[in-house]
Amino acid sequence: MWPNQRLKVTARVALGGSVATQPKAHIVHLLFDIGVITKGIDGALEIIGGALLFFVSPDQLRHIARILTLHELSEDPHDIVANYLLHTAQHLSPSVTTFGAVYLLWHGVVKVGLVTALLRGQRWAYPAAIVAFLLFLLYQVSRYAHTHAPELLVLSVLDVLVIGLTWLEYRRLRPSYTLS
């Protein structure tokens, strides 16, 4: 063991950690990075989608949905995903697409900003991200209560995981912040 490695192990044990907990902390950190990067990609896609919704009319969206589902529905007229996409597209209106555009842009910008700050290790970003992701989660759950859209449940479960990983990562990093 190199002298600087011994010093790091000694400091970690002195701060209440142990040599055995390092692999667990490494796994949590890796999962945190994966979850946060995924959130960042999702945020970037939301920004793109929100911008596109400002320029694409509901009629054009219905036409795109028909084109995207035509092949699948010709093979399987009962395809759940294709039918869901077509059904959803039929209920679009200008006010719905405008709301969707604004929501996606705002949601995406917040996500990308927080993810950038988290990946840079900025201390303020951890509690801010937890609060923001909790607010997004509450909105999704309230929307699920009205729509029963299964994708909202999937997103909510993923958000709960990212919130938990963000909390664990923040707790892991807090001792190093107090020493610096």
Side-chain angles (χ1 to χ4, degrees):
M1 185 178 293
W2 294 94
N4 64 344
Q5 289 174 318
R6 197 171 303 126
L7 181 62
K8 287 179 185 175
V9 169
T10 304
R12 189 174 50 250
V13 171
L15 291 171
S18 71
V19 176
T21 61
Q22 185 173 4
K24 180 182 170 189
H26 179 71
I27 290 170
V28 168
H29 177 70
L30 179 65
L31 290 173
F32 168 79
D33 281 347
I34 291 169
V36 168
I37 289 168
T38 302
K39 275 258 189 237
I41 293 168
D42 179 49
L45 291 173
E46 286 177 346
I47 292 169
I48 293 167
L52 286 175
L53 280 179
F54 274 122
F55 302 108
V56 180
S57 73
D59 287 336
Q60 290 170 319
L61 289 171
R62 283 189 279 279
H63 181 70
I64 291 168
R66 279 192 296 275
I67 290 170
L68 291 175
T69 58
L70 181 64
H71 177 72
E72 189 60 39
L73 290 174
S74 68
E75 290 181 4
D76 179 11
H78 302 292
D79 184 276
I80 293 171
V81 175
N83 279 305
Y84 179 76
L85 181 62
L86 266 182
H87 177 74
T88 302
Q90 295 305 319
H91 296 289
L92 293 176
S93 67
S95 63
V96 168
T97 55
T98 300
F99 172 80
V102 170
Y103 178 79
L104 286 173
L105 283 170
W106 174 79
H107 201 250
V109 167
V110 169
K111 275 186 189 177
V112 168
L114 286 171
V115 164
T116 301
L118 287 170
L119 292 176
R120 289 182 173 180
Q122 295 178 352
R123 185 178 181 172
W124 64 267
Y126 292 89
I130 290 168
V131 169
F133 297 158
L134 276 171
L135 291 173
F136 294 155
L137 176 65
L138 289 173
Y139 178 74
Q140 287 166 191
V141 170
S142 73
R143 289 300 307 149
Y144 177 76
H146 295 289
T147 64
H148 303 291
E151 65 271 13
L152 290 172
L153 282 182
V154 173
L155 290 173
S156 296
V157 168
L158 294 173
D159 279 349
V160 167
L161 290 173
V162 171
I163 290 166
L165 289 168
T166 303
W167 173 252
L168 290 172
E169 183 71 2
Y170 182 59
R171 281 187 43 208
R172 184 183 75 81
L173 294 175
R174 275 200 346 220
S176 67
Y177 283 128
T178 58
L179 291 176
S180 54

